[in-house]
């Protein structure tokens, strides 16, 4: 079995890039790096940690795209439909977004 690579999270506003190891969620990694984020339930239910994802790179294609499947678990609400340009920007819930399907994620932080 191929190991899951870390997820590189680029913070658009600050210009920082944070590597999220497979054992952490994006929210946990951001908190560990001192990046202020809102959160409450940590289960993807309340939506407090929802943040705009500007773009993403899928693991299987390893090329920048405006399409993505759900990183880690069900972190991107709703089905992915329509042309790729319709998929971003879109909300993601940081508490349930983790390395897995995506290798790069650009957040509006």
């Amino acid at each position: 079995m191929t190991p899951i690579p870390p997820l590189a999270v680029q913070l658009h506003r600050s210009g920082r890039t944070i590597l999220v190891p497979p054992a952490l969620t994006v929210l946990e990694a951001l908190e560990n790096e001192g990046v202020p984020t809102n959160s409450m339930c940590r289960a993807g239910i309340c939506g407090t940690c929802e943040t705009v994802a500007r773009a993403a790179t899928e693991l299987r294609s390893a090329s920048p795209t405006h399409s993505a499947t759900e990183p880690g678990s069900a972190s991107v609400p709703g089905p992915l439909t329509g042309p790729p340009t319709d998929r971003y920007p879109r909300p993601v819930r940081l508490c349930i977004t983790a390395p897995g399907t995506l290798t790069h994620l650009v957040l509006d932080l």
Side-chain angles (χ1 to χ4, degrees):
M1 182 174 194
T2 305
I4 297 172
L7 172 60
V9 177
Q10 180 182 344
L11 307 180
H12 180 73
R13 289 187 225 163
S14 71
R16 290 181 66 187
T17 298
I18 310 262
L19 284 181
V20 181
L24 297 179
T25 65
V26 172
L27 177 64
E28 292 166 332
L30 293 175
E31 288 175 336
N32 289 347
E33 292 293 324
V35 177
T37 53
N38 294 322
S39 67
M40 280 183 53
C41 75
R42 295 183 178 267
I45 297 168
C46 72
T48 304
C49 68
E50 195 167 275
T51 303
V52 174
R54 298 173 61 93
T57 302
E58 294 180 21
L59 177 62
R60 67 173 179 251
S61 68
S63 62
T65 180
H66 289 285
S67 67
T69 55
E70 299 172 0
S73 58
S75 58
V76 181
L80 297 173
T81 59
T85 55
D86 291 344
R87 296 182 188 152
Y88 285 96
R90 68 180 292 127
V92 294
R93 294 188 178 168
L94 302 178
C95 70
I96 57 173
T97 302
T101 305
L102 300 178
T103 58
H104 185 251
L105 183 63
V106 180
L107 296 178
D108 195 23
L109 291 176

